[in-house]
Amino acid sequence: MGNHQKLLNFLRPEPAAVAACSPRSFSSSSASVSDDDGYSCSSYPTTDGDASPSRYCGSSTPPTPRSPWAHLPGLGAGGAVAEPGATGLIASLVKEDGHVYSLAATGDVLYTGTDSRNVRVWRDQRELAGFRTASGLVKAIVVAHDGRIFTGHQDGKVRVWRADADNPAVHRQVGSLPKLKDYLKSAVNPTSYVETQRKGRQRAVWLRHSDAVSSLSLDEGAGLLYSASWDRTFKVWRVSDSKCLESVSAHDDAVNTVAAAGFDSVVFTGSADGTVKVWRRETAAKGDATKHVLEKVLREGESAVTAIAVSPEDRVVYVGSSDGLVTYWYWVDGEARYGGVLKGHKMAVMCLAVAGNVVVSGSADRTLCVWRRDGAEHVCLSVLAGHTGPVKCVAMDEEAAAGSGGDRRFVVYSGSLDGSVKVWRLSDAQAAPSQAWSGRPAPAPYAEAWAPPYQTVAKPKRVAAA
């Protein structure tokens, strides 16, 4: 069965959304090297916020006449504002067209990316601004502590943006990974070319992903950005100067997710080949480059790995897969110890987020499951239903002020292929004791012990996450 037909079966309950997320539909031109490396200004404000008049540099696209987002209760601008202490769904941002593929939250600002060229910027649940990219599909967004926004795209590029210091409604592109001069320097060197799996493009410069960028992860402490791609590799970028330090051929199929652990120089990658691999960063012998060494295969299974989230404080690793399960491991004394499986979804897990001791999983079954970690147990706090399409991306943050009774409060943002972003407020004290999930014996596909030497097992080709 081809990849396209597999994905149709994968998301069968939502045909309209399935059609929009067919994998490996390459619309970008491989001949284009510098479609936006001039870092032109392509920001636009909205008509329903406080932004200043439109500003364009090098963009022939006319300004958006009005915001295509509808304000619903909880968003202000005429809507009824949710009570400060309310839990559950507190806002819904509904877009008239486009599927939400990525989002990132930092403080009171939310960035949302779709299969259109626009990235929307929200502040306090009101649309602040947006910026246009040269590529259609925005598959990943991360925000650095210094304010730079990194976006990963279908065309294999990572673009870098920054809000204007005088006007936060204006965003300018300030870079692209790889930088044009680095790419051109490598392009004239025959040794810089590597074999690719992409149809019609057998060789490519190693600096640049030859397929869609599926995931981004920042290691702020190390000053590194990791990008994963359907080209079966992940790349390591130095944030300070946008230099590509390393490209790692990581899996036998598309790499769907990458997560820097934030401890022990460890990075996790998950793939459509069903494996999760653990890589340890070492200092390379040559200059200041990095060298990532495969330390172990954490998981092997028939179901594709679609999402990884890490709690650096408690050193817990969560892995979502296309069979609807969330598997977790504890990182103890430099080793991974199997914890158990969370069974809350009827269809594929498509995204994960963790904050404090709360974990949220989003699924193709249109729901989100919320779990609280209590030592070796996980308590199912709630199942959030409201989306009419698969939940593709999720982000969460803990509120500064505790709720009544001292319970911890969290804000969760979920983006869906139904074209909406929903905002939820949760408490970590919502579940009954009978809902506890204890660590259980490991099913064989998820707890295969790693013992050197590692042997690669041939597996049938699997579909990449959309």
Side-chain angles (χ1 to χ4, degrees):
M1 185 185 296
N3 281 353
H4 182 70
Q5 186 61 40
K6 284 185 179 181
L7 192 61
L8 290 178
N9 293 332
F10 184 64
L11 302 178
R12 189 184 300 275
E14 191 65 27
V18 172
C21 61
S22 175
R24 304 177 187 238
S25 55
F26 308 114
S27 58
S28 59
S29 171
S30 60
S32 175
V33 175
S34 57
D35 56 354
D36 58 354
D37 288 285
Y39 312 149
S40 62
C41 167
S42 54
S43 180
Y44 60 89
T46 65
T47 58
D48 56 350
D50 302 324
S52 61
S54 300
R55 296 176 61 182
Y56 289 88
C57 301
S59 175
S60 59
T61 307
T64 306
R66 63 183 181 86
S67 170
W69 296 77
H71 287 278
L72 295 183
L75 299 182
V81 179
E83 295 180 6
T87 57
L89 180 64
I90 61 174
S92 186
L93 316 176
V94 182
K95 195 165 188 280
E96 293 178 355
D97 57 0
H99 308 278
V100 181
Y101 276 81
S102 57
L103 54 80
T106 172
D108 61 350
V109 178
L110 175 69
Y111 297 88
T112 58
T114 68
D115 53 0
S116 69
R117 293 195 304 150
N118 299 332
V119 175
R120 302 279 172 175
V121 186
W122 303 81
R123 171 171 288 169
D124 295 328
Q125 301 171 14
R126 294 172 60 99
E127 188 176 5
L128 173 68
F131 50 92
R132 294 185 177 91
T133 72
S135 173
L137 185 55
V138 184
K139 297 184 69 67
I141 306 175
V142 294
V143 183
H145 286 165
D146 65 2
R148 279 181 293 176
I149 304 108
F150 297 87
T151 55
H153 298 265
Q154 184 84 20
D155 64 1
K157 275 192 175 183
V158 178
R159 294 172 171 86
V160 191
W161 310 81
R162 187 185 288 277
D164 188 273
D166 298 325
N167 186 354
V170 175
H171 288 71
R172 292 186 174 87
Q173 186 177 350
V174 296
S176 182
L177 307 182
K179 293 188 294 186
L180 178 60
K181 65 177 183 180
D182 292 340
Y183 182 88
L184 294 178
K185 183 179 179 180
S186 295
V188 299
N189 185 353
T191 63
S192 297
Y193 287 80
V194 295
E195 299 295 327
T196 72
Q197 302 295 325
R198 183 168 176 175
K199 185 177 179 180
R201 188 177 178 184
Q202 301 302 317
R203 290 175 60 81
V205 177
W206 72 272
L207 277 180
R208 183 174 176 179
H209 285 298
S210 60
D211 210 329
V213 174
S214 55
S215 178
L216 296 173
S217 180
L218 271 168
D219 188 334
E220 294 275 8
L224 300 175
L225 173 71
Y226 292 88
S227 60
S229 171
W230 286 351
D231 65 10
R232 308 184 182 188
T233 73
F234 73 88
K235 298 189 189 298
V236 188
W237 310 86
R238 188 165 56 206
V239 174
S240 60
D241 59 3
S242 301
K243 181 179 180 181
C244 186
L245 302 179
E246 187 181 3
S247 180
V248 181
S249 297
H251 290 271
D252 296 330
D253 206 335
V255 185
N256 288 330
T257 179
V258 61
F263 55 80
D264 292 358
S265 301
V266 168
V267 179
F268 300 92
T269 57
S271 170
D273 65 12
T275 64
V276 172
K277 294 185 178 180
V278 184
W279 308 84
R280 188 176 295 276
R281 184 178 66 252
E282 299 177 354
T283 302
K286 183 191 296 185
D288 54 357
T290 62
K291 181 180 181 182
H292 285 74
V293 178
L294 178 63
E295 181 159 306
K296 63 182 64 179
V297 177
L298 194 62
R299 174 205 192 264
E300 290 182 319
E302 288 299 312
S303 55
V305 177
T306 52
I308 298 176
V310 183
S311 171
E313 298 83 4
D314 298 318
R315 301 198 172 197
V316 186
V317 183
Y318 296 90
V319 174
S321 48
S322 61
D323 55 8
L325 301 179
V326 176
T327 314
Y328 61 97
W329 288 260
Y330 297 97
W331 196 261
V332 182
D333 298 328
E335 294 291 335
R337 298 183 182 178
Y338 176 79
V341 177
L342 305 179
K343 298 180 179 179
H345 293 290
K346 298 179 181 179
M347 298 183 68
V349 174
M350 304 185 76
C351 51
L352 288 169
V354 58
N357 63 338
V358 174
V359 185
V360 177
S361 57
S363 170
D365 65 13
R366 314 177 191 181
T367 68
L368 297 100
C369 285
V370 184
W371 310 85
R372 184 185 68 221
R373 185 176 62 256
D374 292 333
E377 296 183 341
H378 282 72
V379 177
C380 182
L381 297 180
S382 58
V383 176
L384 308 179
H387 284 291
T388 60
V391 181
K392 188 66 182 69
C393 49
V394 63
M396 64 184 301
D397 197 8
E398 184 173 357
E399 289 189 332
S404 59
D407 57 314
R408 302 170 71 179
R409 297 294 183 94
F410 300 86
V411 176
V412 175
Y413 304 91
S414 58
S416 170
L417 299 186
D418 65 11
S420 73
V421 176
K422 296 190 182 298
V423 186
W424 317 78
R425 180 180 288 115
L426 307 173
S427 165
D428 69 351
Q430 289 178 310
S434 60
Q435 294 174 290
W437 290 69
S438 301
R440 60 200 65 199
Y446 305 101
E448 296 179 358
W450 174 81
Y454 167 64
Q455 296 180 347
T456 302
V457 180
K459 295 184 176 69
K461 190 175 183 66
R462 295 173 179 81
V463 64

